[in-house]
Amino acid sequence: MIVVAGSASQKLSQTLSEKLGAPLANVEVRRFPDTECYVRIHDDLSGEDVVVVQTSFPDDKVIELFLLQEAVRTYDVKSLITVVPYFGYARQDKQFNAGEPVSAKTLTKHLQLDSDTFITVDIHEEKIMDWFDIPAVNVSGMPQIGEFLKGMGPEIIIAPDKGAIELARMAAEVVGCDSDYIEKTRIDGETVEMKAKNLDVSGKKVAIVDDIIATGGTIVKATEQLKSQGATEVYAACTHGLFTKNAITRLSGACDRVISTDTIENETSVVSVAEEIAKKIKK
Ligand code: R5P
């Protein structure tokens, strides 16, 4: 087995290669003067099970991923496993208006063309996995996030909305604490109250977990409200830290700690999802 590391997933590929006991291939990725992508795999991969790892964000990494898959196929490989740690475009998972593509479907269609198996992590909408015609699995970063949070001692793990409650449950199970979700209640035209549905956060250390943090708006609002309801500390944890528009700065002003996984590599990526991916590959 050999791991082909895309430029968006260098650290995770290194960790995955260690977990699998599989070396990293010698991969060259560079840009032509017009910014188009050039890739070349210098090792002969013939006869190997090849794991290509590349997050599909931002857009230029998607093209690089297609080229890497194609480059792998220039060798007579035994199998090609595509690992997309963060599946970009998963939030456009339905047609909201006539004339729009279901972007998540577009991605599944093209990503599987050159692949035998597909693995991703905490995909925004589980139903996307059903759109693959090849074996496709979605693993979760929440058990590892739970392991990390354990050391910080949260007493409640909260999802920012009902849709993310399963993620909160998974992390809470590892931490060994309660989980809940935030319910939004409209007080008047201008005020929306965000409150834990069933639990009292007063005097408690709370961790909010979500699949994605993008602008950070959801978490900042939730943190402010939980603190006003007496939470002593609020941590924010997500699988995919997109952190657009100075989100880290805004979040750092509101939360006591911000953590994410290595599906998107940045300064908050203190948790690795490599173990969960490796378990699926070894199966
Ligand atoms: C939404 O359904 C997602 O799970 C996240 O809650 C959302 O993407 C977070 O966005 P933002 O950080 O911009 O509030």
Side-chain angles (χ1 to χ4, degrees):
M1 182 169 283
I2 192 155
V3 177
V4 169
S7 63
S9 301
Q10 293 280 299
K11 265 171 62 188
L12 174 54
S13 297
Q14 174 68 49
T15 316
L16 186 61
S17 132
E18 286 157 19
K19 301 260 177 216
L20 291 171
L24 286 170
N26 180 2
V27 180
E28 181 181 353
V29 178
R30 59 183 168 82
R31 297 268 151 198
F32 288 110
D34 61 3
T35 76
E36 284 181 354
C37 185
Y38 170 89
V39 312
R40 183 174 174 199
I41 297 170
H42 290 275
D43 298 310
D44 183 355
L45 305 180
S46 301
E48 295 280 357
D49 291 303
V50 181
V51 183
V52 174
V53 189
Q54 171 83 321
T55 270
S56 62
F57 174 87
D59 288 356
D60 57 327
K61 304 300 179 189
V62 182
I63 302 291
E64 183 189 316
L65 173 54
F66 291 152
L67 297 179
L68 286 172
Q69 289 176 313
E70 187 76 29
V72 169
R73 289 294 190 198
T74 64
Y75 297 104
D76 186 16
V77 300
K78 193 165 157 204
S79 69
L80 197 172
I81 302 166
T82 299
V83 178
V84 175
Y86 168 62
F87 189 105
Y89 287 95
R91 287 180 289 177
Q92 185 79 14
D93 61 340
K94 54 172 91 81
Q95 194 184 46
F96 296 93
N97 299 292
E100 288 175 356
V102 179
S103 311
K105 206 170 249 179
T106 313
L107 269 265
T108 59
K109 192 161 81 183
H110 293 279
L111 286 171
Q112 67 187 335
L113 278 180
D114 263 319
S115 197
D116 298 306
T117 309
F118 185 85
I119 300 176
T120 191
V121 184
D122 284 328
I123 195 155
H124 183 62
E125 183 53 61
E126 186 71 39
K127 74 173 180 211
I128 297 170
M129 303 311 292
D130 297 335
W131 298 340
F132 283 94
D133 299 319
I134 58 171
V137 283
N138 176 37
V139 302
S140 183
M142 284 299 145
Q144 301 301 332
I145 286 180
E147 281 299 337
F148 190 91
L149 287 174
K150 218 192 243 184
M152 295 161 67
E155 294 155 279
I156 303 175
I157 309 275
I158 290 194
D161 53 52
K162 206 173 177 182
I165 184 67
E166 191 47 38
L167 301 178
R169 263 200 217 112
M170 270 192 269
E173 197 179 310
V174 176
V175 173
C177 68
D178 289 327
S179 61
D180 201 355
Y181 69 91
I182 288 175
E183 192 173 58
K184 290 182 195 169
T185 314
R186 180 156 292 285
I187 307 294
D188 55 46
E190 256 122 71
T191 332
V192 174
E193 187 190 59
M194 294 170 90
K195 206 164 184 279
K197 168 83 175 147
N198 303 304
L199 302 173
D200 182 3
V201 299
S202 176
K204 302 263 169 62
K205 280 188 191 177
V206 179
I208 309 174
V209 298
D210 207 353
D211 59 338
I212 300 168
I213 298 179
T215 64
T218 309
I219 300 282
V220 168
K221 186 111 208 290
T223 301
E224 285 166 359
Q225 301 240 339
L226 293 174
K227 286 211 169 169
S228 76
Q229 290 150 22
T232 53
E233 289 188 27
V234 177
Y235 313 125
C238 66
T239 307
H240 313 297
L242 287 172
F243 301 129
T244 55
K245 298 187 189 163
N246 295 326
I248 295 186
T249 312
R250 293 178 62 223
L251 286 157
S252 305
C255 310
D256 294 280
R257 177 96 196 250
V258 183
I259 65 160
S260 68
T261 78
D262 51 4
T263 61
I264 298 174
E265 295 169 3
N266 58 61
E267 67 207 73
T268 73
S269 309
V270 291
V271 174
S272 181
V273 294
E275 181 68 37
E276 302 299 316
I277 295 171
K279 272 192 225 158
K280 287 292 168 195
I281 293 175
K282 284 182 191 160
K283 242 184 177 181

